[in-house]
Amino acid sequence: MTAWKDVEEAVPEFAARVRRIFEAHKHKTIATLRADGGPRISGIEAEFVDGQLRFGSMAHARKGADLHRDPRFALHSPSVDPPEGNPAGWTGDAKIAGRAHPAGPVGGDADGEQFHADIDEVVHTGLNADATKLVVESWTPGRGLRRVERE
């Protein structure tokens, strides 16, 4: 199992950049798989705690049922537009894909279940310093960090 702390240890600068993007706003988007194999997109809150990426599902929510049936997920950071007149100031988007593992009930007064992520891939999409090319950086446990620039 690859936890968030493993990403931080392997590629600290990349992991810090991805984490900042995820933590900049409260609400994220998660994709799960329905029983018929089709995609389901849901709003979600996620957090990095004690070296783990974790998120929850309210009791009886479809995304929780999806994750119990098929634990694969893709989590997308909030998307924000580049600053007006300064495309190079765009922080970019981040994505994390993997498998969700049940980790017990959520804390506090909420009725729901918590999941921890087993991470398969982490991606940051942004622009180069001149804002002339799209830059996609991706990390996997087996391959490490890779960078691709596109016109």
Side-chain angles (χ1 to χ4, degrees):
M1 184 167 151
T2 302
W4 181 252
K5 67 180 178 181
D6 301 317
V7 180
E8 291 177 319
E9 290 171 7
V11 283
E13 185 278 329
F14 175 73
R17 192 165 9 112
V18 167
R19 183 172 177 165
R20 276 192 306 273
I21 292 168
F22 268 100
E23 290 180 336
H25 299 279
K26 184 175 186 175
H27 298 107
K28 290 83 169 136
T29 305
I30 192 168
T32 58
L33 295 170
R34 299 173 186 262
D36 67 2
R40 182 189 315 272
I41 301 291
S42 305
I44 197 165
E45 295 174 20
E47 60 185 351
F48 300 91
V49 177
D50 297 329
Q52 295 283 344
L53 169 61
R54 65 183 190 188
F55 45 84
S57 177
M58 295 186 325
H60 313 293
R62 299 311 319 145
K63 70 182 151 203
D66 289 347
L67 292 169
H68 279 284
R69 186 180 45 264
D70 185 330
R72 293 177 293 171
F73 74 90
L75 183 68
H76 193 283
S77 69
S79 290
V80 296
D81 292 333
E84 188 69 33
N86 179 19
W90 181 49
T91 57
D93 286 342
K95 299 178 262 307
I96 299 173
R99 289 168 170 56
H101 295 279
V106 295
D109 297 333
D111 184 20
E113 183 173 16
Q114 182 172 261
F115 293 88
H116 287 177
D118 177 7
I119 297 171
D120 293 335
E121 183 178 40
V122 180
V123 177
H124 174 256
T125 303
L127 298 174
N128 67 355
D130 297 328
T132 58
K133 294 183 181 179
L134 187 68
V135 178
V136 180
E137 293 176 287
S138 63
W139 178 89
T140 67
R143 178 182 35 79
L145 187 62
R146 181 175 69 186
R147 178 184 172 101
V148 175
E149 291 190 16
R150 297 183 182 157
E151 296 287 331

